[in-house]
Amino acid sequence: MKLSRRNFLALSCGAAGLVNTPLVLSGPVQAAEAKNVSPGLHQLAQIRKVDFGTCFSSHLIKGDPSYTDAVLANCGVIVPENEMKWEQLHPTAERFDFSKSDRLAEFASRNHLSLRGHTLVWHLQQPAWIKAIDGAASAERILIDHIETVVGRYSQSVSSWDVVNEAIEPSHGRRDGLRQTIWLDLLGPEYLDLAFYAAHAAAPECQLVYNDYSLELANREHGKRRYHTLKLLEGMLARGVPVHALGIQGHLPADVGQFDSDTFAEFLRNVSGLGLKVLITELDVSDRNLRSNTEYRDRKVAEVYQAFLETALDNPAVTGILTWGLSDRYSWLQENRPRDDKIPMRPLPLDANLERKQAWHAIAKVFSTDPTWSRGSSASD
Ligand code: XIL
């Protein structure tokens, strides 16, 4: 069969791909060309047969129209920054609150964006009532009920879920590297399998992702996390657990010296060798430790985006790139990991005025690089 880029995308959809509905590749590119506007990052990402997107928040839809326009111009996929976490969705034991997540799902659908879900099990941003759960039986019932309710509600709109987030913490001293969490305490390591089975039962077509951080750099700490992540995934697959992809968060420091392409490429080969897809789910590049000069910071940040994405996109198992925010106007790093000198950080593709930075151009360059030599093209392509 002659495999055009369009039916390649359609074929790569479904449980193992990022989207359930085929992307109409020619639409946005042609529209951009017809209107004589330069294509956004998602259009360029199609050249490498991947999707591009960002996290997004429901209050910005009405609250910041120009930012929302920038998201629409650059993204084919969004993921709620906070709206699908337990504390927002399930504030009391008896009550779910879908108001904000529904708004995002409706926004995604109206604008033909794919929607990722984040996240069904995490040790942070949990409501206080969780601490009162007593015993394995009620923990199992509550976890399964939460997952079935949430995944079921969005089974037609969310095509890819971060089922479990950040389950590994080698410093907690367990042989399996698992983090000590409330769910591990109550249910043992089986909580991970349980979560994936419940999600799969509620949305059999949905891509199910294990998501984690500090997997990218060539240091001992990241090496340990890579080791435990591979072991975790191998074990789940051996048990027949429906896990389809690894989500690599990609919160990187703006120090290209800490990134070793060979080490990261080997990890990606190990993951894809298990038959899993890979998503880069929360990419940003922190300029926290750089001197304050703006031009310098922007150049260093862009260098890391470029080196990281060149390596990531060299592996055909990587099917999507999402940054954690699109513009420096809104970055979790500013709140959570600010610079010592308190000047505004510049970790994202657009600046606070929504102008393209060197980082945007570096990403665009990697997306635009002719991939015919690398991404699984054949003579019939
Ligand atoms: C962050 C959000 O961006 C913040 O708004 C919130 O205050 C804390 O959580 N890894 C994750 C994301 O998986 O959910 C986190 O998001 C950033 C780190």
Side-chain angles (χ1 to χ4, degrees), residues 55 57 80-82 85 87 118-119 122 124-125 162 165-166 211-213 249 251 281-282 284 324 331-333 335-337:
C55 70
S57 300
E81 182 164 5
N82 291 301
K85 294 172 180 172
E87 75 177 355
H118 174 82
T119 176
W122 192 28
L124 295 176
Q125 293 182 269
D162 290 336
N165 194 31
E166 304 181 353
N211 195 50
D212 217 326
Y213 66 95
Q249 291 188 3
H251 296 295
T281 50
E282 305 183 15
D284 53 19
W324 206 244
S331 166
W332 74 298
L333 293 170
E335 305 300 315
N336 292 264
R337 318 267 156 88

Side-chain angles (χ1 to χ4, degrees), residues 246-273:
L246 173 66
I248 296 175
Q249 291 188 3
H251 296 295
L252 305 173
D255 176 359
V256 83
Q258 288 196 47
F259 177 71
D260 174 57
S261 174
D262 291 344
T263 306
F264 189 56
E266 185 189 353
F267 178 58
L268 292 177
R269 277 196 303 277
N270 289 336
V271 177
S272 55

Side-chain angles (χ1 to χ4, degrees), residues 41 52 283 305 323 325-328 347-351 355-361 363:
L41 291 176
F52 179 82
L283 185 59
Y305 272 108
T323 48
L326 185 65
S327 137
D328 298 334
L348 291 166
L350 303 179
D351 72 10
E355 297 295 333
R356 295 172 176 181
K357 291 162 49 191
Q358 292 187 54
W360 188 99
H361 292 287
I363 299 170

Side-chain angles (χ1 to χ4, degrees), residues 57 106 111 113 138 140 167 181 201 212 238 246 263 286 305 362:
S57 300
E106 193 275 324
N111 291 290
L113 302 170
S138 38
E140 184 171 328
T181 70
D212 217 326
L246 173 66
T263 306
S286 171
Y305 272 108

Side-chain angles (χ1 to χ4, degrees), residues 4 15 55 59 157:
S4 69
C55 70
H59 68 272
S157 39

